[in-house]
Amino acid sequence: MVDIATRVWNHKWKIDPIVRSLIDTDFYKLLMCQSVFRNKPDTQVTFSLINRSKSIRLADQIDEGELREQLDHVRSLSLTRGESTWMRGNTFYGKRSMFSPEFMDWFEDLRLPPYHLEKHDGQYELTFEGSWPEVMLWEIPALSILMELRGRAVLGNMGRFELEILYARAMTKLWEKVEKLRPLDDLRVADFGTRRRHSFLWQDWAVQAMREGLGDNFTGTSNCLIAKNRDLAAIGTNAHELPMVYSALAKDDATLARAPYDVLSDWQDEHDGNLRIILPDTYGTQGFLDNAPDWLAGWTGIRVDSGDPATGAERAINWWKSRGEDPRDKLVIFSDGLDVDKIVALHKQFQGRTRVSFGWGTMLTNDFKGLTPGDTLAPFSLVCKAVSANGQPTVKLSDNPNKAMGPLEEIERYKRVFGVGEQERLQVVV
Amino acid sequence: MVDIATRVWNHKWKIDPIVRSLIDTDFYKLLMCQSVFRNKPDTQVTFSLINRSKSIRLADQIDEGELREQLDHVRSLSLTRGESTWMRGNTFYGKRSMFSPEFMDWFEDLRLPPYHLEKHDGQYELTFEGSWPEVMLWEIPALSILMELRGRAVLGNMGRFELEILYARAMTKLWEKVEKLRPLDDLRVADFGTRRRHSFLWQDWAVQAMREGLGDNFTGTSNCLIAKNRDLAAIGTNAHELPMVYSALAKDDATLARAPYDVLSDWQDEHDGNLRIILPDTYGTQGFLDNAPDWLAGWTGIRVDSGDPATGAERAINWWKSRGEDPRDKLVIFSDGLDVDKIVALHKQFQGRTRVSFGWGTMLTNDFKGLTPGDTLAPFSLVCKAVSANGQPTVKLSDNPNKAMGPLEEIERYKRVFGVGEQERLQVVV
């Protein structure tokens, strides 16, 4: 039987929306948004798209009209009743009422602010300006729209049958990864792949594959909509944008040196347990740990998001020991450029020495590498970052100079203030 | 939207039929049936299922009730108006009205005769008795039912997700074969996989994959229902059952020695062009060719269906040369135990020396080898053959003693009459 109603309904689509919901975003964005809403609601920020893979000329591949349609669609979204109920009523990280009534009232009325779009030299310049708690919510939808539109541009040239084979191959490839992870005892791995996913439907499938294959060793997804629909835990803590904006707001070098710790002090007022995760690499992990106040050593864990991951974890373990903490009670979360072989190796190296967890991103939700001629669907490195706050430029150093951001003279100043010396350059693929 | 009507309809199924049509069979069965209907309508035959892979205990894997349901369902089928129209109106091998009005009138009224089913030592004894033109039509449905029920028994223990991955892998595997065949110039390959297919839907998909990947180099399918539905050529000529039954009917050794040629003499009265294909191996290819009357050398081609295929083709080429024919005008059809590497090798070896065509069976429509733990879906060798005619046992020698059939003393007599000496034993996988 042909389902005529569905087919006619499909005809009617003006666009096939890429982002279908305001909670089709990472859980940590909502946590951070609430924190910013409480602590820095009036900060004016600019977020900007940055394509680290210059060889991918996005403006040549993606039609500007389609991009505007998708971005406009996101601006038309507001929180639905069911989404609000989920956020208000659900238990996150063991805590009821994670989101305050004041925050929820504000979020229910929210529409995302305008965007600014220009083409320049084969790339899109896409920026968002306004109050921090509003603008920050653009990051994930903007990235997933650009990733998926680039994919659609490639898929649009493929036949019905080629598409079927493409997805059969991608499913096979992903399932083989799941099978490699299956034998790992006590594995804890979550989906962190919203921002650079192939598509919403594909991320949703990847999450189901992980759930099916790994059972409880798959701890959840960073994507709130999928977590809600699939009855999974929403996963995530905090990101670089907090120290970056706090630091940009610092009036002098002394305040700047304190800024990353001020972020975590504010965070500690709101969260405990597994949400007390240090992200130490914004201005160099070693300096951050050496100068950290003692109360930070009592936090649950550290997220390793740049540099060589094993080195980062060893650093964390040594730091805990130097502060009299037992690393076996602590948690190391790996979340940078993971694929299955790296997960297996890190799991083996650190099992028994500390608790380990993985936030697996792009290579979980967008590994179409090698599946099309010319590798036209290979993932690439696209980010959307806070570039200024109250008129001051932001800076990121990270543990990998290839991930550094900001004006050169500011980078030099930050390196001086945070005592960052030579760093190893690592290739950034995704 | 949930399609409630379809879902309720699916609930109502008592069985999910494996064979959905009387023309869900090989084209050569219909051609031979017409020939038998004209030349030997009153011959009484017995056909019997033979599982050459004794390690597969079919009666332990397949529920007898389900098997009876499927066989009973086939007995309820009759030719539909559209199927009759296709047979009467279509052009087959360049010829209109391939099927005579007398044959079609008979076929339209046909229901398949009863079957006899017993279990013995972990195997099913499934036999069909009656007039040859009716009983012969059981072969293909009986085989495809047993193959698919065995598959369903395995699939019944798999989860929704495992099934999705299984088919993704099978599709990927098949498509990789198609991609290996794609670069071959002037390839001519047809689907011969009805009898040992994984399922009807899978055969249908395999045919579409071949069509999509190989274009006109995919010459068609032996399956009449798929040929009709997909607007493809129906492919096939004749099989061993003709010489086997003609030979069993022979009153003495002299008549026996002539019987295989009598078959082709009858065939020549009805068919020309690409339907004049010699199947020489029933009682040994070399003897058949050495003793063949000259008019047979004028036929279009030879089908190589047992023994080493390259040897068989060289034999055919030498024979044509010895009879003053140019092999480059002739056609060799390979149809035994093919998979893609063998196709590539044979195509390379004989390209330019003779016209070559491939009838690709089990490894096209049922290659699930290695896709389940314990390889529970690996194909196996099941046949359904005429075992007696008018009370006399049939015999097959073939070019591979592992494919020989019949009572021992009759095999010895046939070997003497047809002058068959030592033969090379080759493993029969499918």
Side-chain angles (χ1 to χ4, degrees):
Chain A
M1 287 185 247
V2 175
D3 182 349
I4 304 176
T6 298
R7 191 131 164 192
V8 171
W9 170 253
N10 290 349
H11 281 165
K12 287 170 54 182
W13 285 3
K14 283 194 199 66
I15 64 163
D16 187 354
I18 289 171
V19 174
R20 299 135 192 247
S21 154
L22 276 192
I23 67 164
D24 180 9
T25 193
D26 283 341
F27 178 65
Y28 77 173
K29 271 286 169 180
L30 300 184
L31 283 186
M32 289 191 291
C33 186
Q34 169 166 261
S35 179
V36 168
F37 174 78
R38 180 176 342 205
N39 299 308
K40 311 269 180 194
D42 301 322
T43 308
Q44 296 296 300
V45 297
T46 302
F47 271 63
S48 177
L49 187 79
I50 300 158
N51 180 6
R52 293 177 186 149
S53 307
K54 294 292 171 211
S55 64
I56 310 284
R57 293 172 61 88
L58 288 175
D60 295 347
Q61 292 187 36
I62 297 172
D63 179 75
E64 185 178 333
E66 283 180 38
L67 175 53
R68 287 184 183 275
E69 272 185 330
Q70 295 291 348
L71 294 168
D72 292 341
H73 179 73
V74 175
R75 293 201 64 210
S76 77
L77 295 172
S78 63
L79 203 64
T80 69
R81 184 189 296 236
E83 291 162 355
S84 177
T85 302
W86 180 76
M87 287 180 69
R88 288 176 186 266
N90 199 11
T91 300
F92 299 100
Y93 282 81
K95 180 173 166 185
R96 292 206 178 276
S97 303
M98 174 69 81
F99 297 102
S100 70
E102 298 72 33
F103 176 71
M104 290 307 302
D105 289 347
W106 171 84
F107 195 34
E108 282 172 0
D109 285 338
L110 179 74
R111 300 288 187 287
L112 291 200
Y115 59 88
H116 183 77
L117 179 66
E118 280 181 43
K119 279 188 191 183
H120 188 66
D121 195 21
Q123 299 294 342
Y124 282 114
E125 288 185 356
L126 177 59
T127 52
F128 309 92
E129 284 183 49
S131 79
W132 190 9
E134 294 184 358
V135 166
M136 68 189 295
L137 294 175
W138 261 117
E139 176 183 353
I140 309 299
L143 290 174
S144 36
I145 285 171
L146 280 151
M147 292 306 291
E148 185 165 345
L149 280 181
R150 184 266 200 159
R152 287 187 186 185
V154 174
L155 301 172
N157 295 319
M158 295 174 69
R160 173 78 186 75
F161 209 89
E162 284 179 290
L163 289 172
E164 184 161 26
I165 298 298
L166 175 71
Y167 284 102
R169 285 181 166 164
M171 284 181 180
T172 301
K173 195 175 185 189
L174 178 49
W175 189 250
E176 279 163 8
K177 295 186 184 189
V178 171
E179 285 181 332
K180 279 195 190 170
L181 295 180
R182 203 183 248 164
L184 269 52
D185 285 336
D186 304 322
L187 177 69
R188 296 171 57 81
V189 56
D191 158 37
F192 274 24
T194 302
R195 67 190 59 206
R196 289 193 208 110
R197 69 191 180 196
H198 173 74
S199 71
F200 174 79
L201 293 176
W202 182 250
Q203 183 183 15
D204 192 39
W205 191 89
V207 164
Q208 293 174 72
M210 292 286 278
R211 173 80 192 160
E212 178 84 15
L214 302 182
D216 289 342
N217 288 3
F218 177 60
T219 54
T221 170
S222 65
N223 188 293
C224 297
L225 184 62
I226 294 175
K228 171 179 166 289
N229 292 348
R230 300 286 169 199
D231 208 7
L232 292 165
I235 303 283
T237 54
N238 56 62
H240 299 105
E241 74 175 280
L242 295 180
M244 286 168 72
V245 172
Y246 274 55
S247 298
L249 297 177
K251 300 279 181 241
D252 52 46
D253 287 0
T255 324
L256 174 59
R258 258 198 336 267
Y261 308 110
D262 291 344
V263 167
L264 300 185
S265 171
D266 282 351
W267 194 260
Q268 185 164 256
D269 292 341
E270 298 172 48
H271 302 298
D272 47 28
N274 280 351
L275 283 175
R276 288 192 180 167
I277 303 295
I278 303 167
L279 179 64
D281 68 326
T282 315
Y283 304 117
T285 294
Q286 196 60 59
F288 178 90
L289 295 177
D290 291 345
N291 300 318
D294 275 333
W295 54 265
L296 260 184
W299 274 36
T300 305
I302 285 183
R303 181 155 74 94
V304 178
D305 198 47
S306 63
D308 175 63
T311 307
E314 296 291 359
R315 225 179 238 149
I317 288 171
N318 290 336
W319 178 67
W320 280 316
K321 285 182 180 165
S322 76
R323 301 288 177 116
E325 302 281 335
D326 186 344
R328 288 171 300 181
D329 301 331
K330 298 295 184 178
L331 178 63
V332 172
I333 302 176
F334 296 103
S335 62
D336 181 38
L338 294 175
D339 205 353
V340 68
D341 292 338
K342 204 182 278 184
I343 293 174
V344 170
L346 290 169
H347 178 267
K348 192 177 165 196
Q349 183 172 351
F350 292 100
Q351 198 182 17
R353 298 177 56 205
T354 182
R355 290 155 58 213
V356 167
S357 170
F358 298 91
W360 193 10
T362 312
M363 297 309 277
L364 169 61
T365 61
N366 198 0
D367 186 5
F368 284 66
K369 221 165 136 54
L371 300 187
T372 54
D375 222 357
T376 43
L377 286 176
F380 62 102
S381 186
L382 192 69
V383 295
C384 180
K385 292 284 187 189
V387 292
S388 74
N390 287 353
Q392 297 302 310
T394 65
V395 170
K396 184 184 175 190
L397 300 179
S398 133
D399 287 331
N400 178 1
N402 285 339
K403 281 187 163 185
M405 280 179 47
L408 271 183
E409 64 274 24
E410 287 295 303
I411 289 182
E412 289 311 315
R413 176 179 159 235
Y414 275 62
K415 283 178 118 171
R416 177 172 49 73
V417 168
F418 291 103
V420 173
E422 278 300 302
Q423 294 176 301
E424 186 189 4
R425 281 189 185 273
L426 296 172
Q427 197 195 355
V428 179
V429 177
V430 290
Chain B
M1 286 186 251
V2 174
D3 182 349
I4 303 175
T6 299
R7 193 133 165 191
V8 171
W9 170 253
N10 290 348
H11 283 164
K12 287 171 54 181
W13 284 5
K14 285 197 199 63
I15 64 164
D16 187 355
I18 290 173
V19 174
R20 302 134 192 249
S21 154
L22 277 192
I23 67 164
D24 180 10
T25 193
D26 281 341
F27 179 65
Y28 78 173
K29 272 285 168 181
L30 301 184
L31 283 186
M32 288 190 292
C33 186
Q34 169 166 262
S35 179
V36 168
F37 174 80
R38 179 176 346 205
N39 299 309
K40 311 271 182 195
D42 301 324
T43 308
Q44 296 296 301
V45 296
T46 302
F47 270 62
S48 177
L49 187 79
I50 300 157
N51 179 7
R52 294 175 184 151
S53 307
K54 294 294 172 211
S55 64
I56 309 284
R57 292 172 62 89
L58 286 176
D60 294 346
Q61 292 188 35
I62 297 172
D63 178 75
E64 184 176 335
E66 283 180 38
L67 175 54
R68 287 186 184 275
E69 272 185 329
Q70 294 292 347
L71 294 167
D72 291 342
H73 179 75
V74 175
R75 292 200 65 211
S76 77
L77 295 172
S78 65
L79 204 64
T80 69
R81 184 190 294 237
E83 291 163 354
S84 176
T85 302
W86 180 76
M87 288 180 68
R88 289 175 185 267
N90 198 12
T91 301
F92 299 100
Y93 282 80
K95 181 175 166 184
R96 292 205 177 276
S97 303
M98 174 70 80
F99 297 102
S100 70
E102 299 72 34
F103 175 72
M104 288 308 301
D105 289 347
W106 170 84
F107 196 34
E108 282 171 0
D109 286 339
L110 180 73
R111 299 287 187 288
L112 291 200
Y115 59 89
H116 183 77
L117 179 67
E118 281 181 41
K119 278 188 191 185
H120 188 65
D121 194 22
Q123 299 294 343
Y124 283 114
E125 288 185 356
L126 177 60
T127 51
F128 309 93
E129 284 184 49
S131 79
W132 190 9
E134 294 184 359
V135 165
M136 67 189 294
L137 294 177
W138 261 117
E139 176 183 354
I140 309 298
L143 291 174
S144 35
I145 284 172
L146 280 151
M147 291 305 292
E148 185 166 344
L149 280 182
R150 183 264 199 161
R152 287 187 186 186
V154 175
L155 301 174
N157 295 320
M158 295 175 69
R160 172 79 187 76
F161 210 88
E162 284 179 290
L163 290 171
E164 183 162 26
I165 297 296
L166 175 71
Y167 284 103
R169 283 180 167 164
M171 283 181 182
T172 301
K173 195 174 185 190
L174 178 49
W175 189 250
E176 278 163 8
K177 296 187 184 189
V178 171
E179 286 181 333
K180 278 196 191 170
L181 295 180
R182 201 182 250 165
L184 269 53
D185 285 336
D186 305 321
L187 176 70
R188 294 171 58 81
V189 57
D191 157 38
F192 273 24
T194 300
R195 69 190 59 207
R196 288 192 210 110
R197 69 190 181 196
H198 172 75
S199 72
F200 174 78
L201 292 177
W202 182 250
Q203 183 183 17
D204 193 37
W205 191 89
V207 164
Q208 292 174 73
M210 293 285 278
R211 175 75 193 161
E212 178 84 15
L214 302 181
D216 289 343
N217 288 4
F218 177 62
T219 55
T221 170
S222 65
N223 187 292
C224 296
L225 183 61
I226 294 175
K228 170 179 165 291
N229 291 349
R230 301 285 169 197
D231 207 9
L232 293 164
I235 303 283
T237 55
N238 57 64
H240 300 104
E241 73 173 282
L242 295 179
M244 285 168 71
V245 173
Y246 273 56
S247 298
L249 298 177
K251 302 279 181 242
D252 52 45
D253 288 358
T255 324
L256 175 58
R258 259 201 331 269
Y261 308 109
D262 290 345
V263 168
L264 300 183
S265 172
D266 282 351
W267 194 260
Q268 184 164 255
D269 292 342
E270 297 172 47
H271 302 296
D272 46 27
N274 280 352
L275 283 175
R276 289 192 178 167
I277 302 296
I278 303 166
L279 179 65
D281 68 326
T282 316
Y283 304 117
T285 295
Q286 196 60 59
F288 178 92
L289 295 177
D290 290 347
N291 301 317
D294 275 334
W295 54 263
L296 260 184
W299 275 36
T300 305
I302 285 183
R303 180 154 74 94
V304 178
D305 198 46
S306 64
D308 175 64
T311 309
E314 296 291 359
R315 227 179 234 147
I317 288 171
N318 290 335
W319 178 67
W320 280 316
K321 285 181 179 165
S322 75
R323 301 288 176 115
E325 300 282 335
D326 186 344
R328 288 171 301 181
D329 301 332
K330 298 295 185 180
L331 177 63
V332 172
I333 301 176
F334 296 104
S335 62
D336 180 36
L338 293 176
D339 205 351
V340 68
D341 292 339
K342 204 182 278 185
I343 292 174
V344 171
L346 290 168
H347 178 267
K348 191 176 166 196
Q349 184 172 353
F350 292 100
Q351 197 182 19
R353 298 176 57 206
T354 182
R355 290 155 56 212
V356 168
S357 169
F358 298 91
W360 192 11
T362 312
M363 297 310 277
L364 169 61
T365 62
N366 199 0
D367 185 4
F368 283 64
K369 221 166 137 56
L371 300 188
T372 54
D375 223 358
T376 43
L377 286 175
F380 61 104
S381 186
L382 191 70
V383 295
C384 180
K385 292 285 187 189
V387 292
S388 76
N390 288 350
Q392 298 301 311
T394 65
V395 169
K396 185 185 175 189
L397 300 179
S398 133
D399 287 331
N400 177 2
N402 286 339
K403 281 186 163 185
M405 281 179 45
L408 271 182
E409 64 276 22
E410 286 295 303
I411 288 182
E412 290 311 315
R413 175 179 161 237
Y414 275 62
K415 283 178 115 170
R416 178 174 47 74
V417 169
F418 291 104
V420 173
E422 278 301 302
Q423 294 176 301
E424 187 190 1
R425 280 189 186 272
L426 297 173
Q427 196 195 355
V428 178
V429 178
V430 291

